[in-house]
Amino acid sequence: DTGASSPTARHPASRADMALVGERVVVSGLLRRPELNSQVGEATSFDEANGRYTVRIGTEQIALRPMNVERAPFRSSGAPAETLEPHAKVRIHGLSARAELNSCGGTILCWHADKGRYGVQVEGSLETVLLRPTNLEEVKPPRVREKWAPEWRSAEADAIIENKERELLAAEAAEAAKHPFGAGFGAAAGGGAAAV
């Protein structure tokens, strides 16, 4: 015995872990693949040997620990593909009972699992309404263009610039040496005050 614990000993599978198989799940807490956080997928199986779910997100299948998946907040067939996080901006549409709210903006406050609806604060008012996911469209913030920034100069470019500066300084020194009053005369002649 090497003393190493098996994956099962480190994370014994429980019925609670296996309960999400066949369910829509939300991914969270991934550090190596943060782009998958908040994505919705389907838990297709649970591997008891390594204590991980196989989750299908689009065409990709990944193995995730139970702590990185949770049941998606809704499972209705008309629900959007992704869950809406608190503070997400949305546009309301498709209401018949409150048609005056159609095209209004709003902010997601929370998910009410018991009612299968989001709590939404209507933009420009203090009113909070409960709305089905199918009546909400997430408004993505405009993509900010990155400002252009110059690249750092290469060592070769720095050497060329340094050589050119030396040539210019040498030319200035040679010109000043030709003048009978020395370098101070050039400054005085250019309008600056000469030191006496």
Side-chain angles (χ1 to χ4, degrees):
D1 188 3
T2 61
S5 61
S6 70
T8 310
R10 278 183 277 133
H11 187 302
S14 69
R15 285 188 167 276
D17 287 339
M18 292 181 267
L20 295 178
V21 173
E23 299 283 336
R24 287 171 46 84
V25 294
V26 180
V27 179
S28 65
L30 295 181
L31 299 177
R32 291 187 185 173
R33 299 276 312 269
E35 72 276 8
L36 294 176
N37 290 332
S38 300
Q39 295 289 318
V40 177
E42 182 185 352
T44 58
S45 63
F46 185 80
D47 185 346
E48 293 182 44
N50 68 12
R52 293 176 188 254
Y53 283 103
T54 299
V55 177
R56 186 178 64 238
I57 300 174
T59 59
E60 184 178 10
Q61 291 198 1
I62 53 175
L64 297 173
R65 292 179 289 180
M67 65 184 273
N68 296 118
V69 295
E70 61 184 51
R71 183 173 277 115
F74 51 83
R75 282 173 274 151
S76 64
S77 59
E82 298 181 4
T83 60
L84 297 170
E85 296 292 321
H87 309 291
K89 300 296 182 191
V90 293
R91 178 89 34 223
I92 301 168
H93 63 86
L95 297 179
S96 53
R98 297 284 310 270
E100 72 275 9
L101 295 179
N102 289 332
S103 298
C104 287
T107 303
I108 297 294
L109 299 176
C110 60
W111 170 253
H112 293 274
D114 55 329
K115 295 181 169 96
R117 297 171 191 243
Y118 283 104
V120 180
Q121 182 172 4
V122 179
E123 194 173 88
S125 77
L126 297 176
E127 183 179 14
T128 300
V129 292
L130 295 177
L131 298 173
R132 291 186 185 103
T134 54
N135 296 115
L136 300 171
E137 178 183 349
E138 187 172 12
V139 177
K140 301 277 185 186
R143 206 170 130 191
V144 178
R145 289 182 57 192
E146 292 184 25
K147 292 183 180 178
W148 178 84
E151 294 182 18
W152 288 102
R153 295 187 306 233
S154 66
E156 183 181 346
D158 281 340
I160 292 169
I161 291 169
E162 192 174 313
N163 286 338
K164 191 66 172 172
E165 287 175 344
R166 281 192 201 124
E167 288 173 13
L168 289 173
L169 287 174
E172 286 177 6
E175 189 64 33
K178 292 180 190 177
H179 201 279
F181 297 107
F185 180 75
V196 183

